[in-house]
Every structure is written in structure tokens, then in C-alpha cells.
Amino acid sequence: MDVRVNDKIEMKKAHPCQNKIFTVTRVGMDFKIRCDKCGHEIMIPRSKVEKNIKKIIRE
């Protein structure tokens, strides 16, 4: 899956703040994503992120 830094991704499951849109800030073996609503940053393994992505939003 072709995910790049600064892409916005929509996840299948919502963050506890009820937002599904995240911004990718780091790509590698782990992804670092930031919630667009509350600003919380999360490090998640690549396999888990790729499985839970609904769509990629590029500008």
C-alpha cells in the first residue's frame, strides 16, 4: 500500500474522540499518525494500519 507522509487516512474504527481521519507523520516499520480532531499522536505497526485503512485522501 502506497502511504506517504502528510497523507490523510480514514480508518475503519474511530478514535475515542469519535474522529476517523488521521494525518501520517512518519512511515516505516511503524506508522506515526496524528488525530485531526484532538491532535493525539499514535505509533502503530505497519501491518495493523494497512489492515484498518478505509481510504487515503491526497490533496
PDB file of all heavy atoms in Angstrom, residues 3-11 15 19-27 30-44 49 53 55-59:
ATOM      1  N   VAL A   3       1.375   4.597   1.107  1.00  0.00           N
ATOM      2  CA  VAL A   3       1.018   5.665   2.047  1.00  0.00           C
ATOM      3  C   VAL A   3       2.259   6.524   2.246  1.00  0.00           C
ATOM      4  O   VAL A   3       3.348   6.003   2.484  1.00  0.00           O
ATOM      5  CB  VAL A   3       0.552   5.083   3.402  1.00  0.00           C
ATOM      6  CG1 VAL A   3       0.192   6.198   4.356  1.00  0.00           C
ATOM      7  CG2 VAL A   3      -0.632   4.157   3.205  1.00  0.00           C
ATOM      8  N   ARG A   4       2.097   7.839   2.133  1.00  0.00           N
ATOM      9  CA  ARG A   4       3.219   8.763   2.263  1.00  0.00           C
ATOM     10  C   ARG A   4       3.002   9.709   3.431  1.00  0.00           C
ATOM     11  O   ARG A   4       1.884   9.853   3.924  1.00  0.00           O
ATOM     12  CB  ARG A   4       3.362   9.586   0.981  1.00  0.00           C
ATOM     13  CG  ARG A   4       3.595   8.755  -0.246  1.00  0.00           C
ATOM     14  CD  ARG A   4       3.717   9.646  -1.470  1.00  0.00           C
ATOM     15  NE  ARG A   4       3.266   8.879  -2.627  1.00  0.00           N
ATOM     16  CZ  ARG A   4       2.571   9.384  -3.622  1.00  0.00           C
ATOM     17  NH1 ARG A   4       2.238  10.659  -3.628  1.00  0.00           N
ATOM     18  NH2 ARG A   4       2.208   8.630  -4.624  1.00  0.00           N
ATOM     19  N   VAL A   5       4.081  10.374   3.840  1.00  0.00           N
ATOM     20  CA  VAL A   5       3.995  11.376   4.900  1.00  0.00           C
ATOM     21  C   VAL A   5       3.074  12.499   4.425  1.00  0.00           C
ATOM     22  O   VAL A   5       3.066  12.861   3.257  1.00  0.00           O
ATOM     23  CB  VAL A   5       5.401  11.915   5.248  1.00  0.00           C
ATOM     24  CG1 VAL A   5       5.321  13.037   6.259  1.00  0.00           C
ATOM     25  CG2 VAL A   5       6.270  10.786   5.787  1.00  0.00           C
ATOM     26  N   ASN A   6       2.285  13.033   5.333  1.00  0.00           N
ATOM     27  CA  ASN A   6       1.308  14.108   5.117  1.00  0.00           C
ATOM     28  C   ASN A   6       0.036  13.662   4.401  1.00  0.00           C
ATOM     29  O   ASN A   6      -0.812  14.488   4.101  1.00  0.00           O
ATOM     30  CB  ASN A   6       1.914  15.319   4.405  1.00  0.00           C
ATOM     31  CG  ASN A   6       2.925  16.018   5.277  1.00  0.00           C
ATOM     32  OD1 ASN A   6       2.781  16.075   6.486  1.00  0.00           O
ATOM     33  ND2 ASN A   6       3.972  16.530   4.662  1.00  0.00           N
ATOM     34  N   ASP A   7      -0.112  12.362   4.126  1.00  0.00           N
ATOM     35  CA  ASP A   7      -1.389  11.865   3.609  1.00  0.00           C
ATOM     36  C   ASP A   7      -2.393  11.840   4.746  1.00  0.00           C
ATOM     37  O   ASP A   7      -2.027  11.640   5.907  1.00  0.00           O
ATOM     38  CB  ASP A   7      -1.254  10.439   3.080  1.00  0.00           C
ATOM     39  CG  ASP A   7      -0.607  10.373   1.715  1.00  0.00           C
ATOM     40  OD1 ASP A   7      -0.424  11.429   1.091  1.00  0.00           O
ATOM     41  OD2 ASP A   7      -0.287   9.252   1.291  1.00  0.00           O
ATOM     42  N   LYS A   8      -3.646  12.029   4.417  1.00  0.00           N
ATOM     43  CA  LYS A   8      -4.714  11.865   5.405  1.00  0.00           C
ATOM     44  C   LYS A   8      -5.336  10.509   5.132  1.00  0.00           C
ATOM     45  O   LYS A   8      -5.588  10.151   3.981  1.00  0.00           O
ATOM     46  CB  LYS A   8      -5.745  12.980   5.279  1.00  0.00           C
ATOM     47  CG  LYS A   8      -5.160  14.340   5.599  1.00  0.00           C
ATOM     48  CD  LYS A   8      -6.225  15.313   6.001  1.00  0.00           C
ATOM     49  CE  LYS A   8      -5.639  16.668   6.296  1.00  0.00           C
ATOM     50  NZ  LYS A   8      -5.056  16.785   7.578  1.00  0.00           N
ATOM     51  N   ILE A   9      -5.545   9.735   6.189  1.00  0.00           N
ATOM     52  CA  ILE A   9      -6.143   8.417   6.034  1.00  0.00           C
ATOM     53  C   ILE A   9      -7.428   8.330   6.851  1.00  0.00           C
ATOM     54  O   ILE A   9      -7.516   8.897   7.937  1.00  0.00           O
ATOM     55  CB  ILE A   9      -5.164   7.286   6.431  1.00  0.00           C
ATOM     56  CG1 ILE A   9      -4.613   7.472   7.845  1.00  0.00           C
ATOM     57  CG2 ILE A   9      -4.032   7.185   5.433  1.00  0.00           C
ATOM     58  CD1 ILE A   9      -3.734   6.340   8.320  1.00  0.00           C
ATOM     59  N   GLU A  10      -8.404   7.649   6.284  1.00  0.00           N
ATOM     60  CA  GLU A  10      -9.646   7.394   7.014  1.00  0.00           C
ATOM     61  C   GLU A  10      -9.590   5.948   7.487  1.00  0.00           C
ATOM     62  O   GLU A  10      -9.408   5.029   6.683  1.00  0.00           O
ATOM     63  CB  GLU A  10     -10.859   7.604   6.117  1.00  0.00           C
ATOM     64  CG  GLU A  10     -12.160   7.412   6.855  1.00  0.00           C
ATOM     65  CD  GLU A  10     -13.383   7.662   6.003  1.00  0.00           C
ATOM     66  OE1 GLU A  10     -13.258   8.274   4.931  1.00  0.00           O
ATOM     67  OE2 GLU A  10     -14.467   7.230   6.421  1.00  0.00           O
ATOM     68  N   MET A  11      -9.725   5.752   8.783  1.00  0.00           N
ATOM     69  CA  MET A  11      -9.647   4.426   9.382  1.00  0.00           C
ATOM     70  C   MET A  11     -11.043   3.807   9.496  1.00  0.00           C
ATOM     71  O   MET A  11     -12.051   4.511   9.472  1.00  0.00           O
ATOM     72  CB  MET A  11      -9.003   4.510  10.768  1.00  0.00           C
ATOM     73  CG  MET A  11      -7.633   5.148  10.773  1.00  0.00           C
ATOM     74  SD  MET A  11      -6.402   4.215   9.879  1.00  0.00           S
ATOM     75  CE  MET A  11      -5.782   3.184  11.171  1.00  0.00           C
ATOM     76  N   HIS A  15     -11.291   6.920  16.562  1.00  0.00           N
ATOM     77  CA  HIS A  15     -10.512   7.248  17.754  1.00  0.00           C
ATOM     78  C   HIS A  15     -11.510   7.502  18.895  1.00  0.00           C
ATOM     79  O   HIS A  15     -12.678   7.788  18.623  1.00  0.00           O
ATOM     80  CB  HIS A  15      -9.692   8.512  17.428  1.00  0.00           C
ATOM     81  CG  HIS A  15      -8.668   8.860  18.448  1.00  0.00           C
ATOM     82  ND1 HIS A  15      -8.750   9.985  19.206  1.00  0.00           N
ATOM     83  CD2 HIS A  15      -7.526   8.227  18.817  1.00  0.00           C
ATOM     84  CE1 HIS A  15      -7.701  10.035  20.016  1.00  0.00           C
ATOM     85  NE2 HIS A  15      -6.944   8.990  19.800  1.00  0.00           N
ATOM     86  N   ASN A  19     -13.358  10.610  15.936  1.00  0.00           N
ATOM     87  CA  ASN A  19     -12.832  11.042  14.644  1.00  0.00           C
ATOM     88  C   ASN A  19     -12.200   9.855  13.937  1.00  0.00           C
ATOM     89  O   ASN A  19     -11.545   9.029  14.566  1.00  0.00           O
ATOM     90  CB  ASN A  19     -11.786  12.148  14.855  1.00  0.00           C
ATOM     91  CG  ASN A  19     -11.311  12.726  13.553  1.00  0.00           C
ATOM     92  OD1 ASN A  19     -12.071  12.849  12.617  1.00  0.00           O
ATOM     93  ND2 ASN A  19     -10.036  13.069  13.499  1.00  0.00           N
ATOM     94  N   LYS A  20     -12.375   9.765  12.615  1.00  0.00           N
ATOM     95  CA  LYS A  20     -11.795   8.671  11.835  1.00  0.00           C
ATOM     96  C   LYS A  20     -10.673   9.130  10.914  1.00  0.00           C
ATOM     97  O   LYS A  20     -10.043   8.321  10.273  1.00  0.00           O
ATOM     98  CB  LYS A  20     -12.879   8.005  10.983  1.00  0.00           C
ATOM     99  CG  LYS A  20     -13.882   7.223  11.780  1.00  0.00           C
ATOM    100  CD  LYS A  20     -14.817   6.486  10.848  1.00  0.00           C
ATOM    101  CE  LYS A  20     -15.772   5.610  11.639  1.00  0.00           C
ATOM    102  NZ  LYS A  20     -16.581   4.795  10.735  1.00  0.00           N
ATOM    103  N   ILE A  21     -10.417  10.451  10.835  1.00  0.00           N
ATOM    104  CA  ILE A  21      -9.405  10.995   9.922  1.00  0.00           C
ATOM    105  C   ILE A  21      -8.104  11.260  10.681  1.00  0.00           C
ATOM    106  O   ILE A  21      -8.095  11.918  11.709  1.00  0.00           O
ATOM    107  CB  ILE A  21      -9.897  12.304   9.265  1.00  0.00           C
ATOM    108  CG1 ILE A  21     -11.266  12.123   8.618  1.00  0.00           C
ATOM    109  CG2 ILE A  21      -8.870  12.825   8.264  1.00  0.00           C
ATOM    110  CD1 ILE A  21     -11.284  11.182   7.446  1.00  0.00           C
ATOM    111  N   PHE A  22      -6.999  10.719  10.145  1.00  0.00           N
ATOM    112  CA  PHE A  22      -5.682  10.874  10.748  1.00  0.00           C
ATOM    113  C   PHE A  22      -4.698  11.373   9.699  1.00  0.00           C
ATOM    114  O   PHE A  22      -4.851  11.091   8.513  1.00  0.00           O
ATOM    115  CB  PHE A  22      -5.182   9.541  11.301  1.00  0.00           C
ATOM    116  CG  PHE A  22      -5.976   9.012  12.457  1.00  0.00           C
ATOM    117  CD1 PHE A  22      -7.130   8.271  12.250  1.00  0.00           C
ATOM    118  CD2 PHE A  22      -5.576   9.250  13.759  1.00  0.00           C
ATOM    119  CE1 PHE A  22      -7.858   7.786  13.318  1.00  0.00           C
ATOM    120  CE2 PHE A  22      -6.298   8.766  14.837  1.00  0.00           C
ATOM    121  CZ  PHE A  22      -7.447   8.035  14.605  1.00  0.00           C
ATOM    122  N   THR A  23      -3.654  12.089  10.134  1.00  0.00           N
ATOM    123  CA  THR A  23      -2.574  12.540   9.259  1.00  0.00           C
ATOM    124  C   THR A  23      -1.346  11.692   9.552  1.00  0.00           C
ATOM    125  O   THR A  23      -0.974  11.500  10.710  1.00  0.00           O
ATOM    126  CB  THR A  23      -2.244  14.024   9.528  1.00  0.00           C
ATOM    127  OG1 THR A  23      -3.436  14.790   9.329  1.00  0.00           O
ATOM    128  CG2 THR A  23      -1.166  14.522   8.578  1.00  0.00           C
ATOM    129  N   VAL A  24      -0.706  11.187   8.499  1.00  0.00           N
ATOM    130  CA  VAL A  24       0.503  10.375   8.645  1.00  0.00           C
ATOM    131  C   VAL A  24       1.690  11.302   8.827  1.00  0.00           C
ATOM    132  O   VAL A  24       1.935  12.174   8.000  1.00  0.00           O
ATOM    133  CB  VAL A  24       0.703   9.478   7.406  1.00  0.00           C
ATOM    134  CG1 VAL A  24       1.977   8.662   7.531  1.00  0.00           C
ATOM    135  CG2 VAL A  24      -0.494   8.577   7.189  1.00  0.00           C
ATOM    136  N   THR A  25       2.440  11.132   9.930  1.00  0.00           N
ATOM    137  CA  THR A  25       3.606  11.975  10.180  1.00  0.00           C
ATOM    138  C   THR A  25       4.920  11.211  10.029  1.00  0.00           C
ATOM    139  O   THR A  25       5.979  11.828   9.915  1.00  0.00           O
ATOM    140  CB  THR A  25       3.550  12.605  11.588  1.00  0.00           C
ATOM    141  OG1 THR A  25       3.446  11.576  12.558  1.00  0.00           O
ATOM    142  CG2 THR A  25       2.362  13.540  11.708  1.00  0.00           C
ATOM    143  N   ARG A  26       4.866   9.863  10.027  1.00  0.00           N
ATOM    144  CA  ARG A  26       6.088   9.063   9.865  1.00  0.00           C
ATOM    145  C   ARG A  26       5.712   7.730   9.248  1.00  0.00           C
ATOM    146  O   ARG A  26       4.695   7.135   9.612  1.00  0.00           O
ATOM    147  CB  ARG A  26       6.747   8.846  11.219  1.00  0.00           C
ATOM    148  CG  ARG A  26       8.012   8.032  11.143  1.00  0.00           C
ATOM    149  CD  ARG A  26       8.709   7.950  12.504  1.00  0.00           C
ATOM    150  NE  ARG A  26       9.751   6.964  12.432  1.00  0.00           N
ATOM    151  CZ  ARG A  26       9.711   5.778  13.030  1.00  0.00           C
ATOM    152  NH1 ARG A  26       8.684   5.444  13.763  1.00  0.00           N
ATOM    153  NH2 ARG A  26      10.691   4.928  12.893  1.00  0.00           N
ATOM    154  N   VAL A  27       6.543   7.257   8.316  1.00  0.00           N
ATOM    155  CA  VAL A  27       6.305   5.981   7.650  1.00  0.00           C
ATOM    156  C   VAL A  27       7.550   5.133   7.778  1.00  0.00           C
ATOM    157  O   VAL A  27       8.661   5.624   7.623  1.00  0.00           O
ATOM    158  CB  VAL A  27       5.959   6.196   6.157  1.00  0.00           C
ATOM    159  CG1 VAL A  27       5.782   4.873   5.448  1.00  0.00           C
ATOM    160  CG2 VAL A  27       4.728   7.055   6.009  1.00  0.00           C
ATOM    161  N   ASP A  30       6.880   1.144  11.552  1.00  0.00           N
ATOM    162  CA  ASP A  30       5.748   1.653  12.320  1.00  0.00           C
ATOM    163  C   ASP A  30       5.255   2.923  11.649  1.00  0.00           C
ATOM    164  O   ASP A  30       6.017   3.630  11.009  1.00  0.00           O
ATOM    165  CB  ASP A  30       6.160   2.005  13.758  1.00  0.00           C
ATOM    166  CG  ASP A  30       6.580   0.782  14.558  1.00  0.00           C
ATOM    167  OD1 ASP A  30       5.959  -0.274  14.382  1.00  0.00           O
ATOM    168  OD2 ASP A  30       7.516   0.902  15.358  1.00  0.00           O
ATOM    169  N   PHE A  31       3.974   3.194  11.796  1.00  0.00           N
ATOM    170  CA  PHE A  31       3.410   4.452  11.321  1.00  0.00           C
ATOM    171  C   PHE A  31       3.183   5.339  12.525  1.00  0.00           C
ATOM    172  O   PHE A  31       2.773   4.864  13.576  1.00  0.00           O
ATOM    173  CB  PHE A  31       2.049   4.224  10.664  1.00  0.00           C
ATOM    174  CG  PHE A  31       2.109   3.822   9.219  1.00  0.00           C
ATOM    175  CD1 PHE A  31       2.981   2.843   8.776  1.00  0.00           C
ATOM    176  CD2 PHE A  31       1.264   4.406   8.302  1.00  0.00           C
ATOM    177  CE1 PHE A  31       3.022   2.468   7.461  1.00  0.00           C
ATOM    178  CE2 PHE A  31       1.290   4.034   6.974  1.00  0.00           C
ATOM    179  CZ  PHE A  31       2.173   3.061   6.548  1.00  0.00           C
ATOM    180  N   LYS A  32       3.447   6.624  12.379  1.00  0.00           N
ATOM    181  CA  LYS A  32       3.086   7.599  13.402  1.00  0.00           C
ATOM    182  C   LYS A  32       1.964   8.423  12.795  1.00  0.00           C
ATOM    183  O   LYS A  32       2.148   9.049  11.746  1.00  0.00           O
ATOM    184  CB  LYS A  32       4.269   8.477  13.779  1.00  0.00           C
ATOM    185  CG  LYS A  32       4.020   9.337  14.990  1.00  0.00           C
ATOM    186  CD  LYS A  32       5.307  10.033  15.418  1.00  0.00           C
ATOM    187  CE  LYS A  32       5.153  10.624  16.785  1.00  0.00           C
ATOM    188  NZ  LYS A  32       6.400  11.244  17.237  1.00  0.00           N
ATOM    189  N   ILE A  33       0.797   8.371  13.428  1.00  0.00           N
ATOM    190  CA  ILE A  33      -0.352   9.100  12.911  1.00  0.00           C
ATOM    191  C   ILE A  33      -0.874  10.046  13.978  1.00  0.00           C
ATOM    192  O   ILE A  33      -0.732   9.792  15.171  1.00  0.00           O
ATOM    193  CB  ILE A  33      -1.464   8.143  12.426  1.00  0.00           C
ATOM    194  CG1 ILE A  33      -1.934   7.217  13.537  1.00  0.00           C
ATOM    195  CG2 ILE A  33      -1.015   7.352  11.221  1.00  0.00           C
ATOM    196  CD1 ILE A  33      -3.112   6.332  13.172  1.00  0.00           C
ATOM    197  N   ARG A  34      -1.445  11.185  13.517  1.00  0.00           N
ATOM    198  CA  ARG A  34      -1.981  12.194  14.427  1.00  0.00           C
ATOM    199  C   ARG A  34      -3.462  12.375  14.134  1.00  0.00           C
ATOM    200  O   ARG A  34      -3.860  12.552  12.980  1.00  0.00           O
ATOM    201  CB  ARG A  34      -1.241  13.514  14.242  1.00  0.00           C
ATOM    202  CG  ARG A  34      -1.713  14.599  15.209  1.00  0.00           C
ATOM    203  CD  ARG A  34      -0.916  15.899  15.123  1.00  0.00           C
ATOM    204  NE  ARG A  34      -0.733  16.313  13.746  1.00  0.00           N
ATOM    205  CZ  ARG A  34       0.447  16.485  13.161  1.00  0.00           C
ATOM    206  NH1 ARG A  34       1.552  16.299  13.807  1.00  0.00           N
ATOM    207  NH2 ARG A  34       0.532  16.863  11.909  1.00  0.00           N
ATOM    208  N   CYS A  35      -4.265  12.336  15.183  1.00  0.00           N
ATOM    209  CA  CYS A  35      -5.703  12.549  15.065  1.00  0.00           C
ATOM    210  C   CYS A  35      -5.951  13.999  14.644  1.00  0.00           C
ATOM    211  O   CYS A  35      -5.392  14.919  15.225  1.00  0.00           O
ATOM    212  CB  CYS A  35      -6.389  12.258  16.391  1.00  0.00           C
ATOM    213  SG  CYS A  35      -8.161  12.552  16.373  1.00  0.00           S
ATOM    214  N   ASP A  36      -6.789  14.205  13.620  1.00  0.00           N
ATOM    215  CA  ASP A  36      -7.051  15.556  13.129  1.00  0.00           C
ATOM    216  C   ASP A  36      -7.956  16.349  14.060  1.00  0.00           C
ATOM    217  O   ASP A  36      -7.980  17.570  14.007  1.00  0.00           O
ATOM    218  CB  ASP A  36      -7.678  15.508  11.733  1.00  0.00           C
ATOM    219  CG  ASP A  36      -6.648  15.210  10.655  1.00  0.00           C
ATOM    220  OD1 ASP A  36      -5.453  15.069  10.990  1.00  0.00           O
ATOM    221  OD2 ASP A  36      -7.046  15.108   9.495  1.00  0.00           O
ATOM    222  N   LYS A  37      -8.699  15.687  14.923  1.00  0.00           N
ATOM    223  CA  LYS A  37      -9.622  16.394  15.812  1.00  0.00           C
ATOM    224  C   LYS A  37      -8.948  16.810  17.124  1.00  0.00           C
ATOM    225  O   LYS A  37      -8.991  17.967  17.504  1.00  0.00           O
ATOM    226  CB  LYS A  37     -10.839  15.520  16.098  1.00  0.00           C
ATOM    227  CG  LYS A  37     -11.914  16.214  16.897  1.00  0.00           C
ATOM    228  CD  LYS A  37     -13.145  15.345  17.018  1.00  0.00           C
ATOM    229  CE  LYS A  37     -14.218  16.032  17.835  1.00  0.00           C
ATOM    230  NZ  LYS A  37     -15.387  15.159  18.001  1.00  0.00           N
ATOM    231  N   CYS A  38      -8.313  15.862  17.819  1.00  0.00           N
ATOM    232  CA  CYS A  38      -7.756  16.167  19.141  1.00  0.00           C
ATOM    233  C   CYS A  38      -6.233  16.330  19.151  1.00  0.00           C
ATOM    234  O   CYS A  38      -5.666  16.785  20.126  1.00  0.00           O
ATOM    235  CB  CYS A  38      -8.179  15.114  20.152  1.00  0.00           C
ATOM    236  SG  CYS A  38      -7.447  13.487  19.900  1.00  0.00           S
ATOM    237  N   GLY A  39      -5.537  15.922  18.071  1.00  0.00           N
ATOM    238  CA  GLY A  39      -4.094  16.104  17.992  1.00  0.00           C
ATOM    239  C   GLY A  39      -3.270  15.006  18.656  1.00  0.00           C
ATOM    240  O   GLY A  39      -2.052  15.102  18.694  1.00  0.00           O
ATOM    241  N   HIS A  40      -3.911  13.954  19.142  1.00  0.00           N
ATOM    242  CA  HIS A  40      -3.201  12.852  19.799  1.00  0.00           C
ATOM    243  C   HIS A  40      -2.367  12.097  18.766  1.00  0.00           C
ATOM    244  O   HIS A  40      -2.845  11.798  17.678  1.00  0.00           O
ATOM    245  CB  HIS A  40      -4.221  11.911  20.453  1.00  0.00           C
ATOM    246  CG  HIS A  40      -3.606  10.858  21.289  1.00  0.00           C
ATOM    247  ND1 HIS A  40      -3.425  11.016  22.643  1.00  0.00           N
ATOM    248  CD2 HIS A  40      -3.130   9.631  20.983  1.00  0.00           C
ATOM    249  CE1 HIS A  40      -2.863   9.906  23.126  1.00  0.00           C
ATOM    250  NE2 HIS A  40      -2.675   9.063  22.134  1.00  0.00           N
ATOM    251  N   GLU A  41      -1.097  11.792  19.108  1.00  0.00           N
ATOM    252  CA  GLU A  41      -0.218  11.057  18.201  1.00  0.00           C
ATOM    253  C   GLU A  41      -0.078   9.614  18.659  1.00  0.00           C
ATOM    254  O   GLU A  41       0.071   9.346  19.850  1.00  0.00           O
ATOM    255  CB  GLU A  41       1.150  11.717  18.112  1.00  0.00           C
ATOM    256  CG  GLU A  41       1.112  13.036  17.379  1.00  0.00           C
ATOM    257  CD  GLU A  41       2.493  13.579  17.078  1.00  0.00           C
ATOM    258  OE1 GLU A  41       3.476  13.148  17.715  1.00  0.00           O
ATOM    259  OE2 GLU A  41       2.582  14.448  16.200  1.00  0.00           O
ATOM    260  N   ILE A  42      -0.103   8.697  17.696  1.00  0.00           N
ATOM    261  CA  ILE A  42      -0.090   7.266  17.987  1.00  0.00           C
ATOM    262  C   ILE A  42       0.943   6.588  17.091  1.00  0.00           C
ATOM    263  O   ILE A  42       1.045   6.900  15.917  1.00  0.00           O
ATOM    264  CB  ILE A  42      -1.469   6.643  17.680  1.00  0.00           C
ATOM    265  CG1 ILE A  42      -2.583   7.450  18.332  1.00  0.00           C
ATOM    266  CG2 ILE A  42      -1.532   5.198  18.134  1.00  0.00           C
ATOM    267  CD1 ILE A  42      -3.918   7.272  17.662  1.00  0.00           C
ATOM    268  N   MET A  43       1.717   5.667  17.665  1.00  0.00           N
ATOM    269  CA  MET A  43       2.625   4.818  16.888  1.00  0.00           C
ATOM    270  C   MET A  43       1.953   3.446  16.764  1.00  0.00           C
ATOM    271  O   MET A  43       1.601   2.835  17.763  1.00  0.00           O
ATOM    272  CB  MET A  43       3.963   4.651  17.600  1.00  0.00           C
ATOM    273  CG  MET A  43       4.814   5.894  17.651  1.00  0.00           C
ATOM    274  SD  MET A  43       5.680   6.248  16.133  1.00  0.00           S
ATOM    275  CE  MET A  43       6.908   4.976  16.121  1.00  0.00           C
ATOM    276  N   ILE A  44       1.774   2.992  15.513  1.00  0.00           N
ATOM    277  CA  ILE A  44       1.095   1.725  15.254  1.00  0.00           C
ATOM    278  C   ILE A  44       1.928   0.914  14.258  1.00  0.00           C
ATOM    279  O   ILE A  44       2.462   1.489  13.307  1.00  0.00           O
ATOM    280  CB  ILE A  44      -0.312   1.958  14.662  1.00  0.00           C
ATOM    281  CG1 ILE A  44      -1.149   2.855  15.568  1.00  0.00           C
ATOM    282  CG2 ILE A  44      -1.042   0.653  14.449  1.00  0.00           C
ATOM    283  CD1 ILE A  44      -2.508   3.158  15.020  1.00  0.00           C
ATOM    284  N   VAL A  49      -1.996  -0.843  10.605  1.00  0.00           N
ATOM    285  CA  VAL A  49      -2.513   0.349   9.928  1.00  0.00           C
ATOM    286  C   VAL A  49      -3.044  -0.025   8.549  1.00  0.00           C
ATOM    287  O   VAL A  49      -4.143   0.362   8.177  1.00  0.00           O
ATOM    288  CB  VAL A  49      -1.427   1.438   9.804  1.00  0.00           C
ATOM    289  CG1 VAL A  49      -1.899   2.575   8.914  1.00  0.00           C
ATOM    290  CG2 VAL A  49      -1.055   1.980  11.159  1.00  0.00           C
ATOM    291  N   ILE A  53      -7.047   0.716   7.162  1.00  0.00           N
ATOM    292  CA  ILE A  53      -7.283   1.895   6.347  1.00  0.00           C
ATOM    293  C   ILE A  53      -8.516   1.686   5.471  1.00  0.00           C
ATOM    294  O   ILE A  53      -8.642   0.679   4.791  1.00  0.00           O
ATOM    295  CB  ILE A  53      -6.065   2.214   5.449  1.00  0.00           C
ATOM    296  CG1 ILE A  53      -4.912   2.723   6.307  1.00  0.00           C
ATOM    297  CG2 ILE A  53      -6.420   3.254   4.395  1.00  0.00           C
ATOM    298  CD1 ILE A  53      -3.646   3.005   5.524  1.00  0.00           C
ATOM    299  N   LYS A  55      -9.683   4.524   3.389  1.00  0.00           N
ATOM    300  CA  LYS A  55      -9.259   5.201   2.165  1.00  0.00           C
ATOM    301  C   LYS A  55      -8.174   6.212   2.470  1.00  0.00           C
ATOM    302  O   LYS A  55      -8.035   6.671   3.600  1.00  0.00           O
ATOM    303  CB  LYS A  55     -10.425   5.871   1.448  1.00  0.00           C
ATOM    304  CG  LYS A  55     -11.023   7.044   2.140  1.00  0.00           C
ATOM    305  CD  LYS A  55     -12.148   7.643   1.288  1.00  0.00           C
ATOM    306  CE  LYS A  55     -12.828   8.774   2.006  1.00  0.00           C
ATOM    307  NZ  LYS A  55     -13.879   9.366   1.207  1.00  0.00           N
ATOM    308  N   ILE A  56      -7.390   6.558   1.430  1.00  0.00           N
ATOM    309  CA  ILE A  56      -6.308   7.531   1.536  1.00  0.00           C
ATOM    310  C   ILE A  56      -6.771   8.805   0.838  1.00  0.00           C
ATOM    311  O   ILE A  56      -7.249   8.763  -0.292  1.00  0.00           O
ATOM    312  CB  ILE A  56      -5.017   7.010   0.876  1.00  0.00           C
ATOM    313  CG1 ILE A  56      -4.578   5.711   1.550  1.00  0.00           C
ATOM    314  CG2 ILE A  56      -3.922   8.052   0.934  1.00  0.00           C
ATOM    315  CD1 ILE A  56      -3.454   4.998   0.831  1.00  0.00           C
ATOM    316  N   ILE A  57      -6.610   9.940   1.533  1.00  0.00           N
ATOM    317  CA  ILE A  57      -7.030  11.235   0.996  1.00  0.00           C
ATOM    318  C   ILE A  57      -5.763  12.033   0.700  1.00  0.00           C
ATOM    319  O   ILE A  57      -4.993  12.332   1.596  1.00  0.00           O
ATOM    320  CB  ILE A  57      -7.921  11.986   1.999  1.00  0.00           C
ATOM    321  CG1 ILE A  57      -9.106  11.119   2.393  1.00  0.00           C
ATOM    322  CG2 ILE A  57      -8.364  13.317   1.431  1.00  0.00           C
ATOM    323  CD1 ILE A  57      -9.797  11.551   3.651  1.00  0.00           C
ATOM    324  N   ARG A  58      -5.564  12.357  -0.603  1.00  0.00           N
ATOM    325  CA  ARG A  58      -4.412  13.177  -1.002  1.00  0.00           C
ATOM    326  C   ARG A  58      -4.909  14.486  -1.558  1.00  0.00           C
ATOM    327  O   ARG A  58      -5.952  14.551  -2.196  1.00  0.00           O
ATOM    328  CB  ARG A  58      -3.590  12.448  -2.077  1.00  0.00           C
ATOM    329  CG  ARG A  58      -2.899  11.241  -1.523  1.00  0.00           C
ATOM    330  CD  ARG A  58      -1.652  10.913  -2.335  1.00  0.00           C
ATOM    331  NE  ARG A  58      -0.926   9.839  -1.674  1.00  0.00           N
ATOM    332  CZ  ARG A  58      -0.948   8.581  -2.086  1.00  0.00           C
ATOM    333  NH1 ARG A  58      -1.620   8.244  -3.159  1.00  0.00           N
ATOM    334  NH2 ARG A  58      -0.272   7.664  -1.425  1.00  0.00           N
ATOM    335  N   GLU A  59      -4.140  15.535  -1.311  1.00  0.00           N
ATOM    336  CA  GLU A  59      -4.545  16.862  -1.812  1.00  0.00           C
ATOM    337  C   GLU A  59      -3.922  17.151  -3.158  1.00  0.00           C
ATOM    338  O   GLU A  59      -2.941  16.624  -3.530  1.00  0.00           O
ATOM    339  CB  GLU A  59      -4.137  17.934  -0.812  1.00  0.00           C
ATOM    340  CG  GLU A  59      -4.869  17.770   0.496  1.00  0.00           C
ATOM    341  CD  GLU A  59      -4.404  18.753   1.550  1.00  0.00           C
ATOM    342  OE1 GLU A  59      -3.491  19.556   1.261  1.00  0.00           O
ATOM    343  OE2 GLU A  59      -4.958  18.721   2.649  1.00  0.00           O
TER     344      GLU A  59
END
